[in-house]
Coordinates of all heavy atoms in Angstrom, one line a residue:
Chain A
M145 N 59.6 73.9 114.1 CA 60.5 73.2 113.2 C 61.4 72.2 114.0 O 61.9 72.7 115.1 CB 61.4 74.2 112.5 CG 62.2 73.7 111.4 SD 61.7 74.5 109.8 CE 60.3 73.7 109.3
R153 N 62.4 65.7 105.8 CA 63.1 66.9 105.6 C 64.3 67.1 106.6 O 64.4 66.3 107.5 CB 62.1 68.1 105.8 CG 61.6 68.2 107.3 CD 61.0 69.6 107.5 NE 61.9 70.7 107.2 CZ 61.7 71.6 106.2 NH1 60.6 71.6 105.5 NH2 62.6 72.5 106.0
Y154 N 65.1 68.1 106.4 CA 66.2 68.4 107.2 C 65.7 69.2 108.5 O 64.7 70.0 108.4 CB 67.3 69.3 106.5 CG 68.0 68.4 105.5 CD1 67.6 68.4 104.1 CD2 69.1 67.6 105.9 CE1 68.3 67.7 103.2 CE2 69.8 66.9 104.9 CZ 69.4 66.9 103.6 OH 70.0 66.1 102.7
G155 N 66.4 69.0 109.6 CA 66.0 69.7 110.8 C 66.7 71.1 110.9 O 67.5 71.5 110.0
S156 N 66.5 71.8 111.9 CA 67.0 73.2 112.0 C 68.5 73.3 112.1 O 69.1 74.2 111.6 CB 66.3 73.9 113.2 OG 66.5 73.2 114.4
A158 N 70.7 71.2 110.7 CA 71.3 71.0 109.4 C 71.0 72.2 108.5 O 71.9 72.6 107.7 CB 70.7 69.7 108.8
M159 N 69.8 72.8 108.6 CA 69.5 73.9 107.7 C 70.3 75.1 108.1 O 70.8 75.8 107.2 CB 68.0 74.2 107.9 CG 67.1 73.2 107.2 SD 65.4 73.8 107.0 CE 64.8 73.7 108.7
L160 N 70.5 75.4 109.4 CA 71.3 76.5 109.8 C 72.7 76.4 109.3 O 73.3 77.3 108.7 CB 71.2 76.6 111.3 CG 71.9 77.9 111.9 CD1 71.1 79.1 111.5 CD2 71.9 77.8 113.5
H162 N 73.7 74.6 106.8 CA 73.8 74.7 105.3 C 73.8 76.2 104.8 O 74.6 76.6 104.1 CB 72.5 74.0 104.8 CG 72.4 74.1 103.3 ND1 71.7 75.2 102.7 CD2 72.9 73.4 102.3 CE1 71.8 75.1 101.4 NE2 72.5 74.0 101.1
W163 N 72.8 77.0 105.3 CA 72.7 78.3 104.8 C 73.8 79.3 105.3 O 74.3 80.1 104.5 CB 71.3 78.9 105.1 CG 70.3 78.1 104.3 CD1 69.4 77.2 104.8 CD2 70.1 78.1 102.9 NE1 68.6 76.7 103.8 CE2 69.0 77.2 102.6 CE3 70.7 78.8 101.8 CZ2 68.6 77.0 101.3 CZ3 70.2 78.6 100.5 CH2 69.2 77.7 100.3
L326 N 64.2 71.0 97.3 CA 64.6 72.3 97.8 C 63.9 72.6 99.1 O 64.5 73.1 100.0 CB 64.4 73.4 96.7 CG 64.7 74.8 97.2 CD1 66.2 75.0 97.7 CD2 64.5 75.8 96.0
K327 N 62.6 72.3 99.1 CA 61.8 72.7 100.3 C 62.3 72.0 101.6 O 62.3 72.6 102.7 CB 60.3 72.2 100.1 CG 59.5 73.0 99.2 CD 58.1 72.5 99.2 CE 57.3 73.0 98.0 NZ 56.0 72.3 98.0
R328 N 62.9 70.8 101.4 CA 63.5 70.1 102.6 C 64.5 70.8 103.3 O 64.8 70.6 104.5 CB 64.0 68.7 102.1 CG 63.1 67.9 101.4 CD 63.5 66.5 101.2 NE 64.8 66.2 100.6 CZ 65.1 65.0 100.2 NH1 64.2 64.0 100.3 NH2 66.3 64.8 99.7
M329 N 65.2 71.7 102.6 CA 66.4 72.5 103.1 C 65.9 73.9 103.4 O 66.7 74.7 103.9 CB 67.5 72.4 102.2 CG 68.9 72.9 102.7 SD 69.4 72.3 104.3 CE 70.5 70.9 103.8
L330 N 64.7 74.3 103.1 CA 64.2 75.6 103.4 C 63.5 75.7 104.7 O 62.5 75.0 104.9 CB 63.3 76.1 102.3 CG 64.0 76.7 101.0 CD1 63.0 77.1 100.0 CD2 64.9 77.8 101.3
P331 N 63.9 76.6 105.6 CA 63.2 76.7 106.9 C 61.8 77.3 106.6 O 61.6 78.1 105.7 CB 64.0 77.6 107.7 CG 65.0 78.3 106.8 CD 65.1 77.4 105.6
G332 N 60.8 76.8 107.3 CA 59.5 77.4 107.2 C 58.6 76.9 106.1 O 57.6 77.5 105.8
T333 N 59.1 75.9 105.4 CA 58.3 75.4 104.3 C 57.9 74.0 104.6 O 58.7 73.2 105.1 CB 59.0 75.4 102.9 OG1 60.3 74.7 103.1 CG2 59.2 76.7 102.4
K334 N 56.6 73.7 104.4 CA 56.1 72.4 104.7 C 56.4 71.4 103.6 O 56.3 71.8 102.4 CB 54.6 72.4 105.0 CG 54.3 73.2 106.3 CD 52.9 72.7 106.8 CE 52.6 73.3 108.2 NZ 53.5 74.2 108.8

Side-chain angles (χ1 to χ4, degrees):
Chain A
M145 194 118 278
R153 66 163 305 118
Y154 289 95
S156 54
M159 287 193 286
L160 188 62
H162 175 272
W163 293 108
L326 176 54
K327 285 187 198 170
R328 305 193 305 195
M329 192 47 99
L330 278 179
T333 49
K334 290 205 174 2

